[in-house]
């Protein structure tokens, strides 16, 4: 079983179908917008975005994930990315912004910001603060043919650690993670970004732009 540096089982991500992510992004950016997808994984969001008419550059540090992407790809840590070009939109999905270490988050947001074209929009999926209160072992559901369950939830101040258990086709996988509760205003101000609206009713997706108001 191939597993990425952050513990993501590649086989699971190949089985997981899109879950409306591309449509959220598409509604938030201009038609035919160029999109830099950070932490793209295998193809769940990349290919639907292309089908919606966007030019997408997919970035991931896992060559195994990128080998399944039919688009321009860049194998790199997000923090190290220096493409020398900018995009109409930069996508930071999969709750990556809730990373445990502040230094990692700051580097990630700096990379996103330096690749935003003037007037460009950063599209972010995160765990909002209320999720840290409601998340509990035993929660889960089904995405396509994959059964998903949250287990071993442990809280320590603003940190939440847990294990995601996956099962499909008679196989089982698990992925451990730790994430941090964030204050949105502090998050954006520290990265010289300005909040630019919620993109979903549950406030798990939002947009931001470079620079502060005023």
């Amino acid at each position: 079983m191939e597993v990425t540096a952050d513990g993501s089982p590649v086989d699971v991500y190949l089985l997981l179908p899109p879950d409306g992510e591309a449509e959220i992004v598409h509604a938030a950016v201009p038609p035919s917008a160029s999109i830099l997808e950070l932490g793209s994984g295998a193809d769940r969001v990349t290919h639907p975005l292309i089908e919606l008419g966007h030019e997408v550059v997919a970035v991931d540090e896992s060559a195994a994930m990128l080998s399944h992407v039919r688009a321009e790809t860049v194998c790199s840590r997000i923090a190290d990315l220096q493409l020398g070009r900018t995009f109409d939109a930069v996508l930071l999905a999969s709750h990556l912004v809730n990373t445990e270490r502040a230094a990692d988050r700051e580097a990630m947001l700096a990379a996103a910001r330096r690749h935003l074209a003037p007037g460009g929009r950063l599209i972010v999926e995160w765990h909002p603060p209320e999720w840290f209160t409601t998340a509990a072992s035993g929660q889960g559901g089904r995405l396509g043919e994959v059964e998903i369950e949250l287990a071993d939830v442990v809280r320590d101040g603003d940190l939440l650690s847990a294990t995601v258990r996956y099962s499909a086709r008679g196989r089982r996988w698990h992925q451990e993670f730790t994430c941090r509760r964030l204050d949105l205003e502090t998050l954006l101000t520290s990265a010289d970004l300005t909040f630019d609206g919620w993109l979903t009713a549950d406030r798990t997706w939002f947009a931001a732009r470079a620079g502060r108001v005023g």
Side-chain angles (χ1 to χ4, degrees), residues 2-214:
E2 192 151 16
V3 177
T4 66
D6 69 351
S8 301
V10 176
D11 287 350
V12 170
Y13 282 81
L14 292 174
L15 290 175
L16 289 170
D19 193 30
E21 299 92 345
E23 286 74 16
I24 293 169
V25 177
H26 179 67
V29 302
S32 304
S34 59
I35 298 174
L36 178 65
E37 185 185 1
L38 301 177
S40 64
D43 65 359
R44 297 180 59 242
V45 181
T46 313
H47 295 164
L49 282 172
I50 292 171
E51 291 169 2
L52 287 167
H54 298 285
E55 175 191 349
V56 183
V57 175
V59 177
D60 203 286
E61 63 178 312
S62 168
M65 289 285 198
L66 290 178
S67 68
H68 301 278
V69 177
R70 299 185 304 275
E72 181 181 347
T73 61
V74 178
C75 190
S76 171
R77 293 178 63 245
I78 295 172
D80 299 335
L81 194 65
Q82 295 277 1
L83 295 182
R85 56 197 275 209
T86 58
F87 298 79
D88 299 320
V90 175
L91 172 59
L92 192 59
S94 301
H95 317 106
L96 292 174
V97 74
N98 290 99
T99 184
E100 177 181 0
R101 296 181 64 247
D104 293 338
R105 180 167 46 259
E106 291 163 3
M108 212 180 300
L109 290 172
R113 193 182 185 286
R114 67 175 168 261
H115 290 93
L116 271 178
R121 214 172 189 203
L122 173 62
I123 309 299
V124 180
E125 180 188 21
W126 75 329
H127 287 306
E130 54 269 25
W131 179 84
F132 288 80
T133 301
T134 60
S137 297
Q139 291 178 342
R142 186 182 183 92
L143 189 55
E145 61 184 298
V146 182
E147 295 283 351
I148 305 170
E149 181 186 7
L150 193 65
D152 308 323
V153 173
V154 177
R155 293 176 173 83
D156 180 10
D158 285 335
L159 294 178
L160 185 148
S161 299
T163 301
V164 183
R165 295 174 178 166
Y166 304 97
S167 59
R169 301 184 181 182
R171 300 178 62 190
R172 297 181 182 277
W173 305 264
H174 71 277
Q175 181 176 359
E176 298 176 355
F177 70 93
T178 297
C179 56
R180 182 176 295 278
R181 184 198 312 258
L182 301 172
D183 174 76
L184 184 59
E185 182 177 357
T186 302
L187 168 71
L188 295 178
T189 300
S190 65
D192 195 21
L193 294 163
T194 301
F195 179 70
D196 197 36
W198 299 108
L199 304 180
T200 56
D202 63 3
R203 299 194 173 192
T204 59
W205 289 80
F206 66 87
R209 294 187 187 273
R212 299 185 180 93
V213 175

